[in-house]
Amino acid sequence: MTDRKPTTCMRCAVGCGYRQRDGDGGRGIVDVHGDDRHPTNGGETCSRGVRETVNPSGERVTEPMIRRGGTLQPTDWDTVLGTISVRIVEALRTGNDNVAVLGSGQQTNEAAYALGKLARGGFGTRHYDANTTLCMASAVQAYTQAFGSDAPPPTYEDVPDARTHVVWGANPKIAHPVLYRWIADSASNDDSRLIVVDPVESETAADADLHVRPEPGTDLALARAVLAQVVDADVVDRQFVNRHTDGFGDMVGSLPDIDVAAETAGVPVDRVSELAAAFDARTVVYWGMGVNQSVQGTGTARSLIDLCLATGNLGPGSGPFSLTGQANSMGNRVCASKSSWPGYRPFDDVAHRKAIAREWAVPLSRLPDSPGPGFVRIIDELARDNIDVCWTVATNPVAGMPDASHVKTALEDTFLIAQDAFRSDTVELADVVLPAATWGESEGTVMNMERRVSRVTAARDPPEGVRQDLDIIGAVADRVVPELFESARPDPERLFDEVSALTRGTTADFSGISYERLSEELAVRWPAPDETSEGGYRYRGRGDGEEPLEDVDGPWSFHTETGRAQFSNASHEGVPEPINEEYPLTLTTGRRPDVYNTGVRTRSDVSDGGSATAARMHPETIVESLRAFDRGRTVIESRRSAVAVTVEPDTDVPPGLVWLPIHNPAANELTLSAADPESAEPNFKQCAVALSAPDRAGADHIGEPRQANGTGSYS
């Protein structure tokens, strides 16, 4: 075991500890297994995390490239860095916002911090965001509005103690296998239940004691109906509500008629009653992209939090727990200066901006006073030619953004810098490509979804010509704003110490965590304001770092103005794109078990035989649209594009619904770019579509967007 280095799995945000060692010239880390000593997973692993670490099947980017004569051609680092620096400096001469930077939840804390420092403190741009906005922004807004700070209150230690597990708009059996084992083990006890809310009978729903199937896009209506039933059935914990919350009366006054809301959601009233009754026990509510990726994502997440507050389900063995997809989504939120300054310091607070400017030794006037318009609207600004340079880091917006044709056009019309480890749809459009290290080749730290910080280590050097993200960011900074970092190759440990010091005294204080401490303890949960403390259940006691209290009604410490948790009063306002005669079906998207994010690590695995774009439909949907099929294929049309797909009959998908995997760019040719006005997170999970027959000439182009000609046929 001594020749293996401890690290963290980067497959999802469970944060499992691994031990790894280099192999004999292979493309990946040949030997990886769970770390029995790691406090997160105790040695447990999932096959996907191991496989995608050991042997990613995507095509590596192994040398810098620059576009000449319309094609990407190999070049050297001096050439690409010189080209980039000239273009960025020229763009900044016309304004700080003339450069856009798009980061990722796949970066380490150190790389995310450095990129945010360069974007905000070096360039001074408002046009900076990360792909974490595409998945977690609604949950972030909900936590912040309800509790005064981001991140879920419970920890993994609360999972075994819960009696009711409500999984809403998520499929953890596929997306978070190790965490799901703990949920399933707890739910298998005689006095425990697993309840799943999902339009589709997912792998998780198939295990459930109760499966509730709302119409896509109506989760808020259902959540408010359940809240109304909680009040009517007097499942309310009055003592908790009176002592520790504000706004309960206003919330009750805003609730809909139960029958009307249930009908809107397409759920029988007796199912609403069953859901409400389930909260009369220790309940953890887990939610995912089915809630967040909606124009009402923040309101729905707030309503799930309201259910916990109203029933007293805040405390050990209970509470609201959003499920995070990317390995370092939370670290990006805490460290990257994306939607807040490090440590959740508010953007619009002058004192915090002064503190950041002082630490970074940059003019206060250079720092933007707002986090900017968000990922979707940055793309819109690119499409309007308001931004000259765009730099993407470990993200693939051409495949991962809604209305992908619009995204592609916007990026084609700007000077695009793509920094990635694998060939991606975005890399193929780039003017300059920066080859980056991947899992097992990088040094730093990450934060999992329960706030644990752990190390990521390199078991091998990157291939020749490839650099770690942090080294690339430092090299660009050295040419554009050389005073920003102490070195063109910033040291990860020194950057960690810098950002952890900036969190001291904030609501995300991890100033007591160091590389030295992590080498001994492997993973430490924040808040950790000193070298011996570790966070438990959030908001319990007079300080987050204190040990949890036994008395559920003991002191609480919320970070709101009143020190009390806040109820909400959101109302369902309909879906952004209702079905009609022209587009009579609803499209939704979901994850497959064997694919990572947009598929660039696993693209060759999923594209065989066109399976990457196989649409799941109920047999009734197929029968009702038989004229739209040709040899098992059809064309899915939305108001934005049309995509040819193979079809997989599946009774787990309800009639009238079309299911596509998120991992292939074909899906996002169709999706809608409408976004939640509070979180800026787009509405991936619902749009209106129709089916039409593929023409024989183009029927083999599975997964390629197809444009309508003047007669309305597709060719």
Side-chain angles (χ1 to χ4, degrees):
M1 177 115 18
T2 56
D3 62 340
R4 296 187 177 97
K5 301 180 69 173
T7 192
T8 305
C9 177
M10 296 292 285
R11 177 57 178 79
C12 75
V14 174
C16 295
Y18 280 0
R19 296 192 74 87
Q20 63 182 6
R21 64 181 176 187
D22 191 14
D24 298 323
R27 292 197 311 157
I29 309 304
V30 169
D31 189 357
V32 169
H33 60 71
D35 189 341
D36 295 341
R37 293 181 53 235
H38 202 279
T40 296
N41 60 312
E44 289 194 59
T45 63
C46 72
S47 59
R48 294 175 310 149
V50 172
R51 177 175 60 82
E52 291 172 13
T53 303
V54 170
N55 189 27
S57 55
E59 182 182 351
R60 283 298 299 268
V61 180
T62 58
E63 55 190 342
M65 292 184 285
I66 194 166
R67 189 169 296 279
R68 294 191 178 100
T71 61
L72 287 171
Q73 299 181 14
T75 187
D76 58 78
W77 276 101
D78 282 342
T79 299
V80 293
L81 290 172
T83 302
I84 288 169
S85 61
V86 168
R87 295 301 294 261
I88 290 175
V89 169
E90 288 177 348
L92 291 175
R93 286 197 183 109
T94 64
N96 293 0
D97 292 337
N98 202 21
V99 174
V101 181
L102 302 175
S104 170
Q106 296 170 53
Q107 296 176 273
T108 63
N109 292 318
E110 295 77 5
Y113 172 68
L115 186 66
K117 184 176 180 178
L118 178 55
R120 301 300 201 189
F123 303 159
T125 184
R126 290 170 59 252
H127 292 139
Y128 166 60
D129 203 350
N131 57 19
T132 53
T133 295
L134 305 180
C135 55
M136 293 307 299
S138 295
V140 169
Q141 282 293 320
Y143 286 135
T144 303
Q145 292 171 9
F147 303 127
S149 181
D150 178 22
T155 73
Y156 294 158
E157 293 164 9
D158 295 293
V159 173
D161 294 333
R163 288 184 56 196
T164 304
H165 301 268
V166 178
V167 177
W168 197 307
N171 189 10
K173 189 170 184 177
I174 293 303
H176 306 92
V178 172
L179 173 59
Y180 181 69
R181 288 176 207 155
W182 306 331
I183 295 172
D185 286 348
S186 176
S188 67
N189 295 328
D190 290 340
D191 61 347
S192 298
R193 302 180 75 195
L194 172 62
I195 299 173
V196 174
V197 180
D198 195 318
V200 174
E201 186 167 337
S202 66
E203 290 84 351
T204 304
D207 292 343
D209 299 293
L210 173 65
H211 179 199
V212 181
R213 304 178 76 154
E215 294 289 336
T218 65
D219 296 272
L220 180 55
L222 177 58
R224 303 307 280 184
V226 177
L227 269 166
Q229 180 61 33
V230 161
V231 174
D232 278 9
D234 199 23
V235 186
V236 176
D237 184 334
R238 302 284 175 178
Q239 187 177 48
F240 182 88
V241 167
N242 292 336
R243 288 187 180 185
H244 306 301
T245 72
D246 288 327
F248 179 75
D250 290 341
M251 185 273 290
V252 171
S254 72
L255 292 175
D257 178 85
I258 297 171
D259 291 343
V260 172
E263 183 178 2
T264 298
V267 174
V269 173
D270 60 346
R271 284 284 190 263
V272 172
S273 298
E274 285 185 82
L275 258 175
F279 282 83
D280 198 17
R282 287 193 309 274
T283 302
V284 176
V285 182
Y286 315 84
W287 76 87
M289 301 309 100
V291 167
N292 293 335
Q293 291 178 334
S294 163
V295 292
Q296 300 179 133
T298 301
T300 308
R302 286 292 305 273
S303 295
L304 299 184
I305 294 171
D306 288 346
L307 278 166
C308 293
L309 295 177
T311 57
N313 276 298
L314 202 68
S318 66
F321 202 158
S322 55
L323 302 179
T324 307
Q326 294 186 86
N328 201 33
S329 179
M330 184 170 292
N332 191 279
R333 286 140 58 184
V334 174
C335 300
S337 302
K338 182 177 76 76
S339 56
S340 62
W341 301 112
Y344 298 146
R345 296 169 179 261
F347 251 87
D348 56 359
D349 188 299
V350 175
H352 285 300
R353 289 177 66 239
K354 286 181 177 179
I356 297 297
R358 184 167 55 251
E359 175 62 35
W360 289 354
V362 300
L364 178 63
S365 59
R366 186 185 297 172
L367 299 182
D369 58 4
S370 83
F375 211 118
V376 172
R377 302 305 166 224
I378 289 173
I379 296 295
D380 290 342
E381 290 299 304
L382 286 162
R384 297 186 187 104
D385 293 327
N386 291 335
I387 301 171
D388 286 344
V389 175
C390 181
W391 178 11
T392 67
V393 180
T395 190
N396 185 17
V398 173
M401 291 282 291
D403 195 1
S405 294
H406 171 67
V407 176
K408 184 176 181 180
T409 300
L411 292 176
E412 283 176 333
D413 292 340
T414 190
F415 183 79
L416 178 61
I417 306 161
Q419 179 172 324
D420 213 320
F422 294 89
R423 299 288 293 227
S424 73
D425 313 87
T426 303
V427 164
E428 300 305 326
L429 287 184
D431 296 284
V432 171
V433 178
L434 307 176
T438 185
W439 309 346
E441 300 168 356
S442 301
E443 294 282 344
T445 59
V446 291
M447 293 180 193
N448 73 355
M449 72 176 83
E450 62 147 3
R451 296 175 275 116
R452 269 199 173 115
V453 181
S454 58
R455 284 295 311 275
V456 172
T457 59
R460 61 182 295 155
D461 292 329
E464 185 178 355
V466 174
R467 299 185 181 183
Q468 293 188 21
D469 276 340
L470 189 54
D471 293 335
I472 299 171
I473 295 163
V476 174
D478 189 55
R479 292 178 178 242
V480 179
V481 276
E483 71 280 359
L484 195 65
F485 296 107
E486 293 183 356
S487 167
R489 299 192 67 181
D491 177 64
E493 185 172 4
R494 294 191 68 171
L495 278 181
F496 182 86
D497 291 342
E498 183 177 317
V499 68
S500 67
L502 280 171
T503 71
R504 183 172 291 114
T506 71
T507 62
D509 191 336
F510 62 91
S511 58
I513 304 176
S514 64
Y515 274 32
E516 181 180 4
R517 183 177 178 185
L518 292 176
S519 69
E520 297 174 359
E521 300 180 42
L522 296 180
V524 180
R525 191 190 296 119
W526 62 262
D530 58 64
E531 61 185 13
T532 61
S533 63
E534 178 176 29
Y537 202 104
R538 286 204 83 185
Y539 315 119
R540 294 279 292 151
R542 295 177 179 82
D544 282 338
E546 292 184 5
E547 290 296 315
L549 303 176
E550 294 299 324
D551 178 11
V552 174
D553 291 317
W556 287 80
S557 180
F558 299 106
H559 300 294
T560 60
E561 289 185 4
T562 64
R564 296 155 70 93
Q566 305 294 304
F567 278 99
S568 70
N569 53 12
S571 297
H572 176 71
E573 297 179 356
V575 296
E577 192 171 75
I579 61 173
N580 58 20
E581 290 185 4
E582 186 179 4
Y583 297 97
L585 303 175
T586 298
L587 173 72
T588 193
T589 59
R591 296 180 187 273
R592 287 184 48 179
D594 53 351
V595 190
Y596 184 76
N597 283 6
T598 61
V600 296
R601 294 182 71 88
T602 44
R603 184 63 55 83
S604 63
D605 287 347
V606 302
S607 61
D608 294 343
S611 63
T613 47
R616 298 165 60 195
M617 301 181 200
H618 194 281
E620 288 182 18
T621 305
I622 296 172
V623 169
E624 291 175 358
S625 308
L626 279 179
R627 292 185 178 183
F629 290 84
D630 181 10
R631 295 171 293 175
R633 300 176 181 183
T634 190
V635 173
I636 305 175
E637 305 174 29
S638 74
R639 289 177 172 84
R640 289 152 294 283
S641 189
V643 174
V645 297
T646 57
V647 177
E648 178 183 332
D650 192 339
T651 56
D652 292 339
V653 177
L657 190 68
V658 177
W659 187 99
L660 279 175
I662 65 168
H663 315 289
N664 190 279
N668 280 326
E669 293 287 340
L670 304 167
T671 50
L672 183 69
S673 62
D676 184 315
E678 295 183 89
S679 68
E681 184 162 350
N683 189 85
F684 283 101
K685 296 301 182 185
Q686 179 276 329
C687 68
V689 296
L691 304 181
S692 65
D695 64 87
R696 293 297 179 101
D700 290 332
H701 296 290
I702 304 300
E704 295 184 5
R706 312 169 82 196
Q707 300 300 319
N709 62 29
T711 65
S713 63
Y714 285 80
S715 57

